[in-house]
Amino acid sequence: MTTINLANLTELQAINKKLASGYHISEQDTTLWQQLDQNIDAYQALFSALGHDLHHDARGFYYLASDESTPNMGKISRAIALTVFILIEHFANQGKDPLRAIFDETADLELMQTLVQLNKHLFDQLEIFSGSDLRKDVYLRMVRLGLARETEQGFMHLAPLYRYIDALMEVNEENFDGLEEEL
């Protein structure tokens, strides 16, 4: 059993507030990330005692695992997953390394408008009809969840976006495995 010295958990209130809202704390959140990194055992024990599962991803972020069972969160997750999938496909079609481009390139309004126009049939299902809708309905939520940060030029994706990339890769593998079994 881990002994928890609350005096050492100087950012507990801020960390709890962020994580409980679904936010991913990454290295860009310097103070909170360092506090978690230096006291991970205590934070994990404390959150576990409160009925939460604090995860540390080696790619540089922390989050509380959830079942995402609320209908609203499911819609948000679907919109983010679709956007990530389309971004990967877009960069691959341009001959770029999609994983490098997704983290190195800024998602500006022009790119968002292009994505929506090229994938209108998919975005229409989520009631996203323009680059401005994509910015408002997806990217600003990504900022609130710690998946992206807003810059003067647009949005930069952050390491926690790997959760969506991993999920997309898992779905792709399952579909590929199912296809192999059919053949």
Side-chain angles (χ1 to χ4, degrees), residues 4-52:
I4 302 171
N5 182 349
L6 292 177
N8 291 339
L9 307 183
T10 58
E11 299 295 330
L12 177 59
Q13 185 175 359
I15 288 170
N16 183 57
K17 184 177 179 182
K18 289 273 193 186
L19 292 174
S21 72
Y23 188 84
H24 296 72
I25 296 175
S26 62
E27 293 176 349
Q28 286 74 21
D29 306 297
T30 310
T31 303
L32 301 181
W33 188 85
Q34 286 176 345
Q35 173 70 195
L36 278 167
D37 202 49
Q38 292 168 2
N39 300 287
I40 185 60
D41 292 337
Y43 275 105
Q44 283 180 325
L46 181 60
F47 279 106
S48 179
L50 295 171
H52 300 292

CSV table of all heavy atoms in Angstrom, one decimal, residues 4-52:
chain,number,residue,atom,x,y,z
A,4,ILE,N,0.4,8.1,1.3
A,4,ILE,CA,0.2,9.3,0.5
A,4,ILE,C,0.4,10.5,1.5
A,4,ILE,O,-0.3,10.6,2.5
A,4,ILE,CB,-1.3,9.4,-0.1
A,4,ILE,CG1,-1.5,8.2,-1.0
A,4,ILE,CG2,-1.5,10.7,-0.8
A,4,ILE,CD1,-2.9,8.1,-1.4
A,5,ASN,N,1.4,11.3,1.2
A,5,ASN,CA,1.6,12.5,1.9
A,5,ASN,C,1.0,13.7,1.1
A,5,ASN,O,1.6,14.1,0.1
A,5,ASN,CB,3.1,12.8,2.1
A,5,ASN,CG,3.4,14.0,3.0
A,5,ASN,OD1,2.5,14.8,3.2
A,5,ASN,ND2,4.7,14.1,3.4
A,6,LEU,N,-0.2,14.1,1.5
A,6,LEU,CA,-0.9,15.2,0.8
A,6,LEU,C,-0.1,16.5,0.7
A,6,LEU,O,-0.3,17.2,-0.3
A,6,LEU,CB,-2.2,15.4,1.4
A,6,LEU,CG,-3.3,14.3,1.3
A,6,LEU,CD1,-4.5,14.7,2.0
A,6,LEU,CD2,-3.5,14.0,-0.2
A,7,ALA,N,0.8,16.7,1.6
A,7,ALA,CA,1.6,17.9,1.6
A,7,ALA,C,2.5,17.9,0.3
A,7,ALA,O,2.9,19.0,-0.2
A,7,ALA,CB,2.5,18.1,2.8
A,8,ASN,N,2.9,16.8,-0.2
A,8,ASN,CA,3.7,16.7,-1.4
A,8,ASN,C,2.9,16.9,-2.7
A,8,ASN,O,3.5,17.1,-3.7
A,8,ASN,CB,4.4,15.3,-1.5
A,8,ASN,CG,5.5,15.1,-0.4
A,8,ASN,OD1,6.0,16.1,0.2
A,8,ASN,ND2,5.8,13.9,-0.1
A,9,LEU,N,1.6,16.8,-2.6
A,9,LEU,CA,0.8,16.9,-3.8
A,9,LEU,C,0.2,18.3,-3.9
A,9,LEU,O,-0.9,18.6,-3.8
A,9,LEU,CB,-0.4,15.8,-3.7
A,9,LEU,CG,0.0,14.4,-3.4
A,9,LEU,CD1,-1.2,13.5,-3.4
A,9,LEU,CD2,1.1,13.9,-4.4
A,10,THR,N,1.2,19.2,-4.2
A,10,THR,CA,0.9,20.6,-4.2
A,10,THR,C,-0.1,21.1,-5.3
A,10,THR,O,-0.7,22.1,-5.1
A,10,THR,CB,2.2,21.4,-4.3
A,10,THR,OG1,2.9,21.0,-5.5
A,10,THR,CG2,3.1,21.2,-3.1
A,11,GLU,N,-0.2,20.3,-6.3
A,11,GLU,CA,-1.1,20.7,-7.4
A,11,GLU,C,-2.3,19.8,-7.5
A,11,GLU,O,-3.0,19.7,-8.5
A,11,GLU,CB,-0.3,20.6,-8.7
A,11,GLU,CG,0.9,21.5,-8.8
A,11,GLU,CD,0.5,23.0,-8.8
A,11,GLU,OE1,-0.6,23.3,-9.3
A,11,GLU,OE2,1.3,23.8,-8.3
A,12,LEU,N,-2.7,19.1,-6.4
A,12,LEU,CA,-3.8,18.2,-6.4
A,12,LEU,C,-5.1,18.7,-6.9
A,12,LEU,O,-5.7,18.2,-7.7
A,12,LEU,CB,-3.9,17.6,-5.0
A,12,LEU,CG,-5.1,16.6,-4.8
A,12,LEU,CD1,-5.0,15.4,-5.8
A,12,LEU,CD2,-5.2,16.1,-3.4
A,13,GLN,N,-5.4,19.9,-6.4
A,13,GLN,CA,-6.7,20.5,-6.8
A,13,GLN,C,-6.8,20.8,-8.3
A,13,GLN,O,-7.7,20.4,-9.0
A,13,GLN,CB,-7.0,21.8,-6.0
A,13,GLN,CG,-8.3,22.4,-6.3
A,13,GLN,CD,-8.7,23.6,-5.4
A,13,GLN,OE1,-7.8,24.0,-4.6
A,13,GLN,NE2,-9.8,24.1,-5.6
A,14,ALA,N,-5.7,21.4,-8.8
A,14,ALA,CA,-5.7,21.7,-10.2
A,14,ALA,C,-5.6,20.4,-11.1
A,14,ALA,O,-6.3,20.3,-12.1
A,14,ALA,CB,-4.5,22.6,-10.6
A,15,ILE,N,-4.9,19.4,-10.7
A,15,ILE,CA,-4.8,18.2,-11.4
A,15,ILE,C,-6.1,17.5,-11.4
A,15,ILE,O,-6.6,17.0,-12.4
A,15,ILE,CB,-3.6,17.3,-10.8
A,15,ILE,CG1,-2.3,17.9,-11.2
A,15,ILE,CG2,-3.8,15.9,-11.3
A,15,ILE,CD1,-1.1,17.3,-10.5
A,16,ASN,N,-6.7,17.4,-10.2
A,16,ASN,CA,-8.0,16.7,-10.1
A,16,ASN,C,-9.1,17.4,-11.0
A,16,ASN,O,-9.8,16.8,-11.7
A,16,ASN,CB,-8.5,16.7,-8.7
A,16,ASN,CG,-9.8,16.0,-8.6
A,16,ASN,OD1,-10.0,14.8,-8.9
A,16,ASN,ND2,-10.8,16.6,-8.0
A,17,LYS,N,-9.1,18.7,-11.0
A,17,LYS,CA,-10.1,19.5,-11.8
A,17,LYS,C,-9.9,19.2,-13.3
A,17,LYS,O,-10.8,19.0,-14.0
A,17,LYS,CB,-9.9,21.0,-11.5
A,17,LYS,CG,-10.9,21.8,-12.2
A,17,LYS,CD,-10.8,23.3,-11.8
A,17,LYS,CE,-11.8,24.1,-12.6
A,17,LYS,NZ,-11.7,25.6,-12.3
A,18,LYS,N,-8.6,19.2,-13.7
A,18,LYS,CA,-8.3,19.0,-15.2
A,18,LYS,C,-8.7,17.6,-15.5
A,18,LYS,O,-9.4,17.3,-16.5
A,18,LYS,CB,-6.8,19.2,-15.4
A,18,LYS,CG,-6.4,20.7,-15.4
A,18,LYS,CD,-6.6,21.3,-16.7
A,18,LYS,CE,-5.9,22.6,-16.8
A,18,LYS,NZ,-6.2,23.4,-18.0
A,19,LEU,N,-8.2,16.6,-14.8
A,19,LEU,CA,-8.4,15.2,-15.1
A,19,LEU,C,-9.9,14.8,-15.1
A,19,LEU,O,-10.4,14.1,-15.9
A,19,LEU,CB,-7.6,14.3,-14.2
A,19,LEU,CG,-6.1,14.3,-14.4
A,19,LEU,CD1,-5.4,13.5,-13.4
A,19,LEU,CD2,-5.6,13.9,-15.8
A,20,ALA,N,-10.6,15.3,-14.0
A,20,ALA,CA,-12.0,15.0,-13.9
A,20,ALA,C,-12.8,15.5,-15.0
A,20,ALA,O,-13.9,15.0,-15.3
A,20,ALA,CB,-12.5,15.5,-12.6
A,21,SER,N,-12.4,16.6,-15.7
A,21,SER,CA,-13.1,17.1,-16.8
A,21,SER,C,-12.8,16.4,-18.1
A,21,SER,O,-13.3,16.8,-19.2
A,21,SER,CB,-12.8,18.6,-17.0
A,21,SER,OG,-11.5,18.8,-17.4
A,22,GLY,N,-11.9,15.4,-18.1
A,22,GLY,CA,-11.6,14.7,-19.3
A,22,GLY,C,-10.3,15.2,-20.0
A,22,GLY,O,-9.9,14.7,-21.0
A,23,TYR,N,-9.7,16.2,-19.3
A,23,TYR,CA,-8.5,16.8,-19.9
A,23,TYR,C,-7.3,15.8,-19.8
A,23,TYR,O,-7.2,15.0,-18.8
A,23,TYR,CB,-8.1,18.1,-19.1
A,23,TYR,CG,-7.0,18.9,-19.7
A,23,TYR,CD1,-7.3,19.8,-20.7
A,23,TYR,CD2,-5.7,18.8,-19.2
A,23,TYR,CE1,-6.2,20.6,-21.2
A,23,TYR,CE2,-4.7,19.5,-19.7
A,23,TYR,CZ,-5.0,20.4,-20.7
A,23,TYR,OH,-3.9,21.2,-21.2
A,24,HIS,N,-6.4,15.8,-20.8
A,24,HIS,CA,-5.2,15.1,-20.8
A,24,HIS,C,-4.0,16.0,-20.4
A,24,HIS,O,-3.8,17.0,-21.1
A,24,HIS,CB,-4.9,14.5,-22.1
A,24,HIS,CG,-5.9,13.5,-22.6
A,24,HIS,ND1,-7.2,13.9,-22.9
A,24,HIS,CD2,-5.9,12.2,-22.7
A,24,HIS,CE1,-7.9,12.8,-23.3
A,24,HIS,NE2,-7.1,11.8,-23.2
A,25,ILE,N,-3.3,15.7,-19.3
A,25,ILE,CA,-2.2,16.5,-18.9
A,25,ILE,C,-0.9,16.0,-19.6
A,25,ILE,O,-0.6,14.9,-19.5
A,25,ILE,CB,-2.0,16.5,-17.4
A,25,ILE,CG1,-3.2,17.1,-16.7
A,25,ILE,CG2,-0.7,17.2,-16.9
A,25,ILE,CD1,-3.3,17.0,-15.2
A,26,SER,N,-0.4,16.9,-20.4
A,26,SER,CA,0.8,16.5,-21.2
A,26,SER,C,2.0,17.4,-20.8
A,26,SER,O,1.9,18.3,-20.0
A,26,SER,CB,0.5,16.6,-22.7
A,26,SER,OG,0.2,17.9,-23.1
A,27,GLU,N,3.1,17.1,-21.4
A,27,GLU,CA,4.3,17.9,-21.1
A,27,GLU,C,4.2,19.4,-21.3
A,27,GLU,O,5.0,20.1,-20.7
A,27,GLU,CB,5.5,17.3,-21.9
A,27,GLU,CG,5.9,15.9,-21.4
A,27,GLU,CD,6.9,15.2,-22.2
A,27,GLU,OE1,7.3,15.7,-23.3
A,27,GLU,OE2,7.4,14.2,-21.8
A,28,GLN,N,3.3,19.8,-22.1
A,28,GLN,CA,3.1,21.2,-22.4
A,28,GLN,C,2.4,21.9,-21.1
A,28,GLN,O,2.5,23.1,-21.0
A,28,GLN,CB,2.1,21.5,-23.6
A,28,GLN,CG,2.8,21.2,-24.9
A,28,GLN,CD,3.0,19.8,-25.2
A,28,GLN,OE1,2.4,18.9,-24.7
A,28,GLN,NE2,4.0,19.5,-26.1
A,29,ASP,N,1.8,21.1,-20.3
A,29,ASP,CA,1.3,21.6,-19.0
A,29,ASP,C,2.4,21.4,-17.9
A,29,ASP,O,2.2,20.6,-17.0
A,29,ASP,CB,0.0,20.8,-18.6
A,29,ASP,CG,-1.0,20.8,-19.7
A,29,ASP,OD1,-1.5,21.9,-20.0
A,29,ASP,OD2,-1.4,19.7,-20.2
A,30,THR,N,3.4,22.1,-18.1
A,30,THR,CA,4.7,21.9,-17.4
A,30,THR,C,4.5,21.6,-15.9
A,30,THR,O,5.0,20.6,-15.4
A,30,THR,CB,5.7,23.1,-17.6
A,30,THR,OG1,5.8,23.3,-19.0
A,30,THR,CG2,7.0,22.7,-17.1
A,31,THR,N,3.9,22.5,-15.2
A,31,THR,CA,3.8,22.4,-13.7
A,31,THR,C,3.0,21.2,-13.3
A,31,THR,O,3.5,20.4,-12.4
A,31,THR,CB,3.2,23.7,-13.1
A,31,THR,OG1,4.0,24.8,-13.5
A,31,THR,CG2,3.2,23.6,-11.6
A,32,LEU,N,1.9,21.0,-13.9
A,32,LEU,CA,1.0,19.8,-13.5
A,32,LEU,C,1.7,18.5,-14.0
A,32,LEU,O,1.6,17.5,-13.2
A,32,LEU,CB,-0.4,20.0,-14.2
A,32,LEU,CG,-1.2,21.2,-13.8
A,32,LEU,CD1,-2.5,21.2,-14.5
A,32,LEU,CD2,-1.3,21.4,-12.3
A,33,TRP,N,2.3,18.5,-15.1
A,33,TRP,CA,2.9,17.3,-15.6
A,33,TRP,C,4.1,16.9,-14.7
A,33,TRP,O,4.2,15.7,-14.4
A,33,TRP,CB,3.4,17.5,-17.1
A,33,TRP,CG,3.9,16.2,-17.7
A,33,TRP,CD1,3.1,15.2,-18.3
A,33,TRP,CD2,5.2,15.7,-17.7
A,33,TRP,NE1,3.9,14.2,-18.7
A,33,TRP,CE2,5.2,14.5,-18.3
A,33,TRP,CE3,6.4,16.2,-17.2
A,33,TRP,CZ2,6.4,13.7,-18.5
A,33,TRP,CZ3,7.6,15.5,-17.5
A,33,TRP,CH2,7.5,14.3,-18.1
A,34,GLN,N,4.9,17.9,-14.3
A,34,GLN,CA,6.0,17.6,-13.4
A,34,GLN,C,5.6,17.1,-12.1
A,34,GLN,O,6.1,16.1,-11.5
A,34,GLN,CB,6.9,18.8,-13.3
A,34,GLN,CG,7.8,19.1,-14.5
A,34,GLN,CD,8.6,20.4,-14.3
A,34,GLN,OE1,8.3,21.2,-13.4
A,34,GLN,NE2,9.5,20.6,-15.2
A,35,GLN,N,4.5,17.7,-11.6
A,35,GLN,CA,4.0,17.2,-10.3
A,35,GLN,C,3.5,15.8,-10.4
A,35,GLN,O,3.8,15.0,-9.5
A,35,GLN,CB,2.8,18.2,-9.9
A,35,GLN,CG,2.0,17.8,-8.7
A,35,GLN,CD,2.8,17.9,-7.3
A,35,GLN,OE1,2.3,17.3,-6.4
A,35,GLN,NE2,3.9,18.6,-7.3
A,36,LEU,N,2.8,15.4,-11.4
A,36,LEU,CA,2.3,14.1,-11.6
A,36,LEU,C,3.5,13.1,-11.8
A,36,LEU,O,3.6,12.0,-11.2
A,36,LEU,CB,1.4,13.9,-12.8
A,36,LEU,CG,0.0,14.3,-12.6
A,36,LEU,CD1,-0.8,14.5,-13.9
A,36,LEU,CD2,-0.7,13.3,-11.7
A,37,ASP,N,4.5,13.5,-12.6
A,37,ASP,CA,5.6,12.7,-12.9
A,37,ASP,C,6.5,12.4,-11.7
A,37,ASP,O,6.9,11.3,-11.5
A,37,ASP,CB,6.5,13.4,-14.0
A,37,ASP,CG,7.4,12.4,-14.7
A,37,ASP,OD1,6.8,11.4,-15.2
A,37,ASP,OD2,8.6,12.7,-14.9
A,38,GLN,N,6.6,13.4,-10.8
A,38,GLN,CA,7.4,13.2,-9.6
A,38,GLN,C,6.7,12.4,-8.5
A,38,GLN,O,7.3,11.9,-7.6
A,38,GLN,CB,7.9,14.6,-9.1
A,38,GLN,CG,8.8,15.3,-10.0
A,38,GLN,CD,9.1,16.7,-9.6
A,38,GLN,OE1,8.5,17.2,-8.7
A,38,GLN,NE2,9.9,17.4,-10.4
A,39,ASN,N,5.4,12.4,-8.6
A,39,ASN,CA,4.6,11.8,-7.5
A,39,ASN,C,3.6,10.8,-8.0
A,39,ASN,O,2.5,10.6,-7.5
A,39,ASN,CB,3.9,12.8,-6.7
A,39,ASN,CG,4.8,13.8,-6.0
A,39,ASN,OD1,5.5,13.5,-5.1
A,39,ASN,ND2,4.9,15.0,-6.6
A,40,ILE,N,3.9,10.1,-9.1
A,40,ILE,CA,2.9,9.3,-9.8
A,40,ILE,C,2.3,8.2,-8.9
A,40,ILE,O,1.1,7.9,-8.9
A,40,ILE,CB,3.5,8.6,-11.1
A,40,ILE,CG1,2.4,7.9,-11.9
A,40,ILE,CG2,4.7,7.8,-10.8
A,40,ILE,CD1,1.2,8.7,-12.3
A,41,ASP,N,3.1,7.5,-8.1
A,41,ASP,CA,2.6,6.5,-7.2
A,41,ASP,C,1.5,7.0,-6.3
A,41,ASP,O,0.5,6.4,-6.1
A,41,ASP,CB,3.7,5.7,-6.5
A,41,ASP,CG,4.6,4.9,-7.4
A,41,ASP,OD1,4.2,4.6,-8.5
A,41,ASP,OD2,5.8,4.7,-7.0
A,42,ALA,N,1.8,8.1,-5.7
A,42,ALA,CA,0.9,8.7,-4.7
A,42,ALA,C,-0.4,9.2,-5.4
A,42,ALA,O,-1.5,8.9,-4.9
A,42,ALA,CB,1.5,9.9,-4.0
A,43,TYR,N,-0.3,9.8,-6.6
A,43,TYR,CA,-1.5,10.2,-7.3
A,43,TYR,C,-2.3,9.0,-7.8
A,43,TYR,O,-3.5,9.0,-7.7
A,43,TYR,CB,-1.1,11.1,-8.5
A,43,TYR,CG,-0.9,12.6,-8.1
A,43,TYR,CD1,0.4,13.1,-8.1
A,43,TYR,CD2,-2.0,13.4,-7.9
A,43,TYR,CE1,0.5,14.5,-7.7
A,43,TYR,CE2,-1.9,14.7,-7.5
A,43,TYR,CZ,-0.6,15.3,-7.5
A,43,TYR,OH,-0.4,16.6,-7.1
A,44,GLN,N,-1.6,8.0,-8.3
A,44,GLN,CA,-2.4,6.8,-8.7
A,44,GLN,C,-3.1,6.1,-7.6
A,44,GLN,O,-4.3,5.7,-7.7
A,44,GLN,CB,-1.4,5.8,-9.4
A,44,GLN,CG,-1.1,6.2,-10.8
A,44,GLN,CD,-0.2,5.3,-11.6
A,44,GLN,OE1,0.7,4.7,-11.0
A,44,GLN,NE2,-0.3,5.2,-12.9
A,45,ALA,N,-2.4,6.1,-6.4
A,45,ALA,CA,-3.1,5.5,-5.2
A,45,ALA,C,-4.3,6.3,-4.8
A,45,ALA,O,-5.4,5.8,-4.5
A,45,ALA,CB,-2.1,5.4,-4.1
A,46,LEU,N,-4.1,7.6,-4.8
A,46,LEU,CA,-5.2,8.5,-4.4
A,46,LEU,C,-6.4,8.4,-5.3
A,46,LEU,O,-7.5,8.3,-4.9
A,46,LEU,CB,-4.7,10.0,-4.3
A,46,LEU,CG,-5.7,11.0,-3.8
A,46,LEU,CD1,-6.3,10.7,-2.5
A,46,LEU,CD2,-5.1,12.4,-3.8
A,47,PHE,N,-6.1,8.5,-6.6
A,47,PHE,CA,-7.2,8.4,-7.6
A,47,PHE,C,-7.9,7.1,-7.6
A,47,PHE,O,-9.1,7.0,-7.7
A,47,PHE,CB,-6.7,8.8,-9.0
A,47,PHE,CG,-6.6,10.3,-9.2
A,47,PHE,CD1,-5.4,10.9,-9.3
A,47,PHE,CD2,-7.8,11.0,-9.4
A,47,PHE,CE1,-5.3,12.3,-9.5
A,47,PHE,CE2,-7.7,12.4,-9.6
A,47,PHE,CZ,-6.5,13.0,-9.6
A,48,SER,N,-7.1,6.0,-7.3
A,48,SER,CA,-7.7,4.7,-7.2
A,48,SER,C,-8.6,4.6,-6.0
A,48,SER,O,-9.7,4.0,-6.1
A,48,SER,CB,-6.5,3.6,-7.1
A,48,SER,OG,-7.1,2.4,-7.0
A,49,ALA,N,-8.2,5.2,-4.9
A,49,ALA,CA,-9.0,5.2,-3.7
A,49,ALA,C,-10.3,5.9,-4.0
A,49,ALA,O,-11.4,5.6,-3.3
A,49,ALA,CB,-8.3,5.8,-2.5
A,50,LEU,N,-10.3,6.9,-4.9
A,50,LEU,CA,-11.5,7.6,-5.2
A,50,LEU,C,-12.3,7.0,-6.4
A,50,LEU,O,-13.3,7.6,-6.8
A,50,LEU,CB,-11.1,9.1,-5.7
A,50,LEU,CG,-10.4,9.9,-4.6
A,50,LEU,CD1,-9.9,11.2,-5.1
A,50,LEU,CD2,-11.4,10.2,-3.4
A,51,GLY,N,-11.9,5.8,-6.8
A,51,GLY,CA,-12.6,5.1,-7.8
A,51,GLY,C,-12.2,5.4,-9.3
A,51,GLY,O,-13.0,5.2,-10.2
A,52,HIS,N,-11.1,6.1,-9.5
A,52,HIS,CA,-10.6,6.5,-10.8
A,52,HIS,C,-9.4,5.7,-11.2
A,52,HIS,O,-8.6,5.3,-10.3
A,52,HIS,CB,-10.3,8.0,-10.9
A,52,HIS,CG,-11.5,8.8,-10.5
A,52,HIS,ND1,-12.6,8.9,-11.4
A,52,HIS,CD2,-11.7,9.6,-9.5
A,52,HIS,CE1,-13.5,9.7,-10.8
A,52,HIS,NE2,-13.0,10.2,-9.7
